[in-house]
Amino acid sequence: MKTLVIGANGQIGRQFCELAKAAGMPVRAMIRNSNQQRWFQERSIETVIADLEGSLRHAFYGCDQVVFAAGSGPHTGPDKTLMIDLNGAARAVDLASELGLSRFVMVSAIRAEEPLAAPDKMRPYMAAKNAADAHLRTARVPHVILKPGRLTDDQASQRVATSLKEAGDNQVSRANVAHVLLHLIQNRQLVNREFTLLDGERTIADAIA
Ligand code: NAP
């Protein structure tokens, strides 16, 4: 019952790995190179070196679900958006399907389904997330798609909302996202669901039910 964490060395990824470790949920942190290993070794978290743009299949062996928290980030161009946020995500979904994993949890983005509503600069990213989500919805592997608003570095309140109307503000802390990811891997019955995710007032168990 091990979870492969793709994007484990990222800001959400690290927080999620720590929470999962503390909760006794087995994870394998997928990182891109050995320089990133130490932080995980210090916490006794298993790692595997793999790349969404390269060798990937081996990372999945022995895992039964995936948390995908990787992304090309704001400092790269549309080429990396295409190769990581779209093609990399689609490759991961295809491997999870082919190898018969039981669930794929995707960290997407709020309103990814409306790329033309995004500011010009964000459109390729939103289009990539939208296409990756669409690919996941029709894949063989059961899925959960989490759609966070603008990410902040605030502390975890562990109180969330699942609509803009309810939240009033388009933001969510990475720490809250990590807690929701933990809730998802602890609740395996949640499949084929999609949640907008914002900071709010409800407990995670109430909001992500
Ligand atoms: P982050 O800190 O930038 O982490 C992204 C991770 O993806 C990094 O660890 C990076 O690896 C990894 N990665 C990049 N290219 C890869 C590749 N080719 N193969 C494997 N891993 C690769 O991001 P975050 O703040 O945790 O956020 C996670 C995701 O949330 C974002 O990427 C984005 O898609 C989504 N999101 C963001 C926002 C926002 O407001 N920023 C809003 C909604 C959703 P390295 O550590 O090796 O660089």
Side-chain angles (χ1 to χ4, degrees), residues 6-13 30-33 36 50-54 68-74 83-85 107-110 125 129 147-152 174:
I6 301 181
N9 192 52
Q11 297 167 89
I12 290 174
M30 186 178 124
I31 56 177
R32 286 203 274 184
N33 63 66
Q36 299 171 337
D51 196 318
L52 291 166
E53 292 188 273
F68 187 99
S72 57
M83 291 313 296
I84 296 164
D85 300 293
V107 178
S108 180
I110 193 169
Y125 168 73
K129 293 305 266 182
K147 295 178 163 179
R150 187 176 62 80
L151 297 172
T152 74
R174 291 180 171 88

Side-chain angles (χ1 to χ4, degrees), residues 18 40 99 113 120 181 184 188:
E18 271 195 313
F40 296 92
L99 298 171
E113 65 285 0
D120 279 1
L181 291 171
L184 287 170
R188 304 182 67 87

